[in-house]
Amino acid sequence: MRTAFYLFIGIVFGIVMTKSEAVSWFRIQEMFRFESFHMYGIIGTAVVVGAIGVGLAKRLNWKTVDGHQWSLKAKDFTVPRYLFGGTIFGLGWALTGACPGPMFTLLGHGIWAIGVVILASVFGTYVYGLVRSRLPH
């Protein structure tokens, strides 16, 4: 039953990404050229929805998928973490024209070339896991 629920949530996410044009390379290009507010509005909406969701999860004591108590630990504020991580993420986004959510939506649309980007991002995550202990955190 849970798998069906998460499949449903994934389908709704894909529809929202498609209908909002967040998967459009042209919209992303507009954003990076500061020519349109469209993508900033989508990102701002996602931040607000995420903040509301985290607030509700804390107030209502939501459980994890495994049934464990759900908690968020505050991260230490370190400039190099956000500077390097944000730069690498932004470069990847600018080069490929898609961040992680739209990548899977594009794959669902049958754009198989994005599979290369997904594999590269999985490889990058693997490499990060290998060198994580040597990076500034």
Side-chain angles (χ1 to χ4, degrees), residues 48-136:
V48 169
V49 169
I52 291 170
V54 169
L56 285 174
K58 286 182 176 179
R59 284 188 187 260
L60 301 175
N61 293 322
W62 286 354
K63 305 280 184 192
T64 64
V65 174
D66 301 332
H68 296 100
Q69 187 65 33
W70 187 81
S71 66
L72 285 176
K73 296 178 183 171
K75 303 272 186 196
D76 295 331
F77 181 77
T78 57
V79 173
R81 166 194 291 170
Y82 300 109
L83 185 65
F84 295 133
T87 300
I88 291 170
F89 182 85
L91 285 173
W93 194 5
L95 286 172
T96 63
C99 64
M103 286 189 319
F104 290 98
T105 304
L106 289 169
L107 189 64
H109 276 269
I111 299 171
W112 300 108
I114 202 75
V116 174
V117 176
I118 292 171
L119 289 175
S121 66
V122 169
F123 178 73
T125 304
Y126 176 74
V127 170
Y128 170 74
L130 291 177
V131 299
R132 183 173 191 264
S133 63
R134 297 184 187 118
L135 296 174

Side-chain angles (χ1 to χ4, degrees), residues 24-35:
S24 169
W25 183 86
F26 298 106
R27 289 291 184 186
I28 294 168
Q29 186 183 34
E30 283 179 340
M31 177 186 72
F32 282 118
R33 291 182 172 192
F34 300 104
E35 294 175 352

Side-chain angles (χ1 to χ4, degrees), residues 1-45:
M1 188 63 186
R2 281 189 173 165
T3 302
F5 174 73
Y6 291 119
L7 182 63
F8 173 75
I9 293 294
I11 290 170
V12 169
F13 178 76
I15 291 171
V16 169
M17 296 302 282
T18 302
K19 291 294 185 185
S20 68
E21 299 181 10
V23 295
S24 169
W25 183 86
F26 298 106
R27 289 291 184 186
I28 294 168
Q29 186 183 34
E30 283 179 340
M31 177 186 72
F32 282 118
R33 291 182 172 192
F34 300 104
E35 294 175 352
S36 172
F37 182 76
H38 187 92
M39 288 298 291
Y40 296 111
I42 292 172
I43 293 168
T45 302

